[in-house]
Amino acid sequence: MQPKRILFVCLGNICRSPMAEGVFNKIVAGQGVQKAFEVDSAGLSNYHEGELPDACMRWHAEKRGYRLTHRSRPVTANDFEYFDLIMGMDEQNMRQLHRLAATPEQAAKVRRMTDFCQNLQASEVPDPYYGGDQGFENVIDLLEDCCQGLYEFLKK
């Protein structure tokens, strides 16, 4: 059976999307179903290409037991063919992803991360970059909730 392929996307691929990748990978590892999923992250900008996630995001992630080692990369046209789901973090990401989708089938793969919130209420996963420590903690809280909801949705 082919694994379910999920791509998490934010603007620069240094905060939210690599964190979502880390959270989702930890969930599937905890369930022992790593082989059922292929997970990656990417950014809509290539400004940080090749860089590790932001140092503040890595620090806050490590406090919760996540080790973020992904190297930033931009979204490519091939991603829309390869991945089953492309998860956008905010409204700007969603608009840009829909513009990049070449077909209605590709556009249908684009989903909003917060549509999978279970316990928290949010319309988007905000960029934590200017929110200080609490901004990073809030993003991790949201992503833990959304990723668990996404996992529950996909295992059905």
Side-chain angles (χ1 to χ4, degrees):
M1 186 161 108
Q2 183 173 315
K4 190 75 159 171
R5 297 175 179 144
I6 305 164
L7 181 67
F8 295 102
V9 178
C10 67
L11 180 60
N13 193 214
I14 59 167
C15 289
R16 297 170 289 175
S17 57
M19 188 69 231
E21 178 185 354
V23 170
F24 197 84
N25 277 329
K26 188 172 184 180
I27 290 169
V28 299
Q31 297 296 317
V33 294
Q34 302 94 310
K35 291 182 179 177
F37 296 94
E38 184 177 335
V39 182
D40 196 5
S41 64
L44 291 161
S45 158
N46 65 356
Y47 186 73
H48 298 285
E49 188 170 358
E51 295 178 18
L52 284 169
D54 176 79
C56 289
M57 181 53 80
R58 290 195 323 264
W59 185 81
H60 285 277
E62 286 175 16
K63 284 185 3 182
R64 297 205 197 182
Y66 301 101
R67 188 161 181 269
L68 306 182
T69 60
H70 174 85
R71 295 283 179 166
S72 177
R73 73 169 185 87
V75 172
T76 67
N78 184 57
D79 289 332
F80 285 88
E81 288 296 321
Y82 187 75
F83 288 94
D84 301 308
L85 282 175
I86 300 173
M87 307 299 299
M89 298 294 153
D90 62 30
E91 189 58 40
Q92 181 182 354
N93 299 159
M94 295 296 292
R95 280 193 307 270
Q96 200 165 347
L97 286 166
H98 280 287
R99 278 196 299 271
L100 291 171
T103 66
E105 293 78 20
Q106 290 180 357
K109 295 178 178 187
V110 177
R111 301 290 300 268
R112 182 184 317 273
M113 192 73 215
T114 52
D115 287 350
F116 296 93
C117 280
Q118 292 185 304
N119 301 306
L120 302 176
Q121 297 292 322
S123 60
E124 66 180 26
V125 179
D127 190 334
Y129 202 74
Y130 301 104
D133 287 343
Q134 189 53 47
F136 287 96
E137 292 294 324
N138 180 50
V139 163
I140 297 172
D141 289 342
L142 272 171
L143 290 174
E144 287 176 336
D145 189 42
C146 294
C147 284
Q148 187 63 49
L150 177 60
Y151 172 73
E152 297 298 327
F153 171 78
L154 292 173
K155 77 175 190 178
K156 291 179 185 174

